Amino acid sequence: NRPAVRSAEPEEGSSWKWGVSIDVMKFPGGGGNENTAVINRLHTTGFNARIVKAQCPHRFDVWEPGGTLWRSVVYPELENDPTHSILHGVWTIALGGVPWTALTNVLTRHGKPDPAVMKEWKKRRRFLGGEALTYCGLHYSQSSRDFWGRNTPNAYYGEVYGWYDVAVEGHFLTDLVLDQHLTDLKYLQRYRVLILPNSACLSETQGETLRQFVRDGGVVVASYETGLYDENGEKRKDFLLKDVFGINYQETVSLTPGPWGKTIYDPNNVPRERAFVRIEKRRLKTLVAPAVFFGANYTKVKTMAGCAVLASTVNLKERETLFPGEVLNRAMPESPAITCHRFGKGKAVYVSAEAGRGFLQWPHPEARRLLENILGLGQPAITVRAPKQVE
């Protein structure tokens, strides 16, 4: 079971000490299974499907074990609405998996499945299986979860989910990659872009594989304290991939954001420290905005020769202006916020902030555009313009 992360006491309900391995399923020649509850968040089915797909890419299924029952309790108005079950199925099929569901409420009409749901699934039967196209690989790290995030699991998950939402809602073909995949160069080469969302805990072997991936022409995008710790959570003096990203670690700045679950448009939720990401490159500024606000912790770094600064962190003290304009332009940069470094045939982009977690907290359009432009550096073969919930 997934451990509770909001328990007041460690022993209340399910504690993090009962957490299980992310890569728990080993089915040689078989397949893997994951369950989902679509009501939790828009992309729950897709995220859960990607977890099991990373473990069993040759055969996996995703089931809705009673989401229809939970809907009748939490959202009575949805009890007889088959939309959620239909979406659960088509999202799973889009990722190469097989959907199924518990026969409760929506799907049970006198003991028979709802024909509206089955009809929509059946239309796509010919798409079951096959080899899925790939573009992004998003690292989902058990080491970082268990060691870096042992006291603040939501901080690590928030960073992963934020980058995941940007990648999926931006219609980049995205898979999850697990710790063991980062030592398999052949596996990684199926992707044009690898995202390391605060992959703080990395081993020397993983570092060498990632180094070769970029050297061969891949694009790696990393955030915050990626590679600052070894696989057992011991802090290094500098980033493991400092040569790849062309930066040296200086220090970490921890902010004090307002209550989670609110947006910046609530005047009671403006952080005390206002660290803006000011875009320095003219073309990127045209595509995104003059500045982006994440409201998240960040690192201070020093660039090496040949490393380009795309954006700078600017810390403002004026509390009275929400959109500072010229004040922001005149301010002295505190540290590079986004850098880009050519390494071999590839590129390495570093984002100093907990950008994914910041995006979840402050989901501004310009923050989305900035991260989408970074993820697009691998030049995807397919571009989709559609509502963001479309897989």
Side-chain angles (χ1 to χ4, degrees):
N1 222 347
R2 291 177 178 77
V5 294
R6 290 189 172 85
S7 296
E9 300 294 335
E11 300 305 320
E12 178 185 331
S14 54
S15 157
W16 275 98
K17 75 178 184 180
W18 307 118
V20 298
S21 167
I22 291 174
D23 184 20
V24 70
M25 287 174 272
K26 300 288 187 183
F27 297 113
N33 164 260
E34 178 63 274
N35 68 70
T36 187
V38 187
I39 64 169
N40 289 345
R41 47 198 311 275
L42 183 63
H43 296 299
T44 298
T45 288
F47 192 85
N48 290 343
R50 285 173 171 89
I51 291 176
V52 68
K53 180 182 179 181
Q55 299 166 36
C56 304
H58 50 284
R59 196 185 85 186
F60 69 93
D61 58 82
V62 183
W63 67 294
E64 193 181 28
T68 49
L69 174 63
W70 300 330
R71 287 203 298 275
S72 68
V73 175
V74 182
Y75 304 110
E77 68 276 11
L78 297 179
E79 182 173 358
N80 294 313
D81 180 4
T83 305
H84 287 73
S85 293
I86 291 173
L87 288 176
H88 151 70
V90 296
W91 275 333
T92 301
I93 293 170
L95 293 167
V98 178
W100 61 289
T101 186
L103 297 178
T104 58
N105 288 340
V106 172
L107 292 182
T108 303
R109 302 283 175 82
H110 305 291
K112 296 181 180 180
D114 187 336
V117 174
M118 296 303 168
K119 181 179 179 181
E120 289 300 319
W121 290 9
K122 187 178 180 181
K123 285 179 183 178
R124 298 158 176 83
R125 184 175 181 177
R126 66 184 185 275
F127 298 117
L128 294 177
E131 184 178 350
L133 296 174
T134 57
Y135 176 70
C136 278
L138 176 69
H139 184 211
Y140 188 31
S141 170
Q142 180 176 332
S143 294
S144 299
R145 181 199 75 175
D146 291 349
F147 296 113
W148 184 92
R150 60 186 176 272
N151 297 320
T152 55
N154 268 344
Y156 174 69
Y157 279 128
E159 186 68 2
V160 173
Y161 289 151
W163 281 97
Y164 171 77
D165 276 355
V166 170
V168 173
E169 292 177 1
H171 306 297
F172 296 104
L173 299 169
T174 304
D175 292 334
L176 296 182
V177 296
L178 306 178
D179 285 339
Q180 68 269 23
H181 296 140
L182 296 191
T183 61
D184 186 343
L185 181 61
K186 185 177 180 181
Y187 185 93
L188 295 183
Q189 285 174 337
R190 69 185 66 189
Y191 302 109
R192 302 288 297 277
V193 175
L194 284 179
I195 311 170
L196 307 178
N198 189 26
S199 299
C201 300
L202 294 175
S203 69
E204 294 287 341
T205 303
Q206 290 172 327
E208 189 52 46
T209 306
L210 290 167
R211 194 172 281 112
Q212 190 61 46
F213 173 81
V214 181
R215 190 181 285 120
D216 291 344
V219 176
V220 168
V221 178
S223 65
Y224 197 44
E225 294 187 329
T226 291
L228 193 57
Y229 299 77
D230 68 15
E231 67 272 27
N232 297 314
E234 294 295 325
K235 190 173 182 178
R236 296 182 169 102
K237 293 182 180 180
D238 207 340
F239 296 117
L240 172 65
L241 297 172
K242 59 185 179 182
D243 56 330
V244 178
F245 289 97
I247 54 174
N248 294 111
Y249 174 77
Q250 302 295 299
E251 63 176 309
T252 297
V253 179
S254 297
L255 303 184
T256 52
W260 286 83
K262 296 184 180 180
T263 71
I264 192 174
Y265 303 109
D266 184 336
N268 297 320
N269 197 35
V270 178
R272 295 185 183 92
E273 300 93 343
R274 298 177 58 209
F276 287 82
V277 174
R278 185 178 68 192
I279 309 298
E280 306 291 5
K281 289 295 182 180
R282 181 179 299 177
R283 183 174 181 276
L284 189 59
K285 183 184 297 187
T286 302
L287 294 172
V288 178
V292 173
F293 182 76
F294 284 119
N297 302 329
Y298 62 97
T299 62
K300 292 183 180 180
V301 300
K302 184 178 181 181
T303 57
M304 301 178 185
C307 181
V309 176
L310 305 184
S312 302
T313 299
V314 177
N315 209 322
L316 299 184
K317 304 300 181 183
E318 293 84 350
R319 291 289 308 279
E320 67 277 2
T321 53
L322 188 59
F323 302 100
E326 291 302 317
V327 178
L328 183 68
N329 293 333
R330 293 195 304 267
M332 289 295 294
E334 183 180 46
S335 175
I338 303 175
T339 61
C340 183
H341 184 234
R342 290 191 176 276
F343 185 80
K345 298 178 182 178
K347 295 180 181 178
V349 177
Y350 174 74
V351 182
S352 70
E354 289 179 292
R357 188 181 177 198
F359 177 74
L360 284 185
Q361 172 73 351
W362 318 90
H364 287 174
E366 58 268 25
R368 179 191 298 277
R369 288 197 298 270
L370 174 61
L371 298 181
E372 285 184 353
N373 271 277
I374 292 173
L375 295 185
L377 288 174
Q379 299 179 345
I382 293 178
T383 302
V384 177
R385 301 193 182 278
K388 60 186 181 182
Q389 68 267 31
V390 173
E391 287 270 8

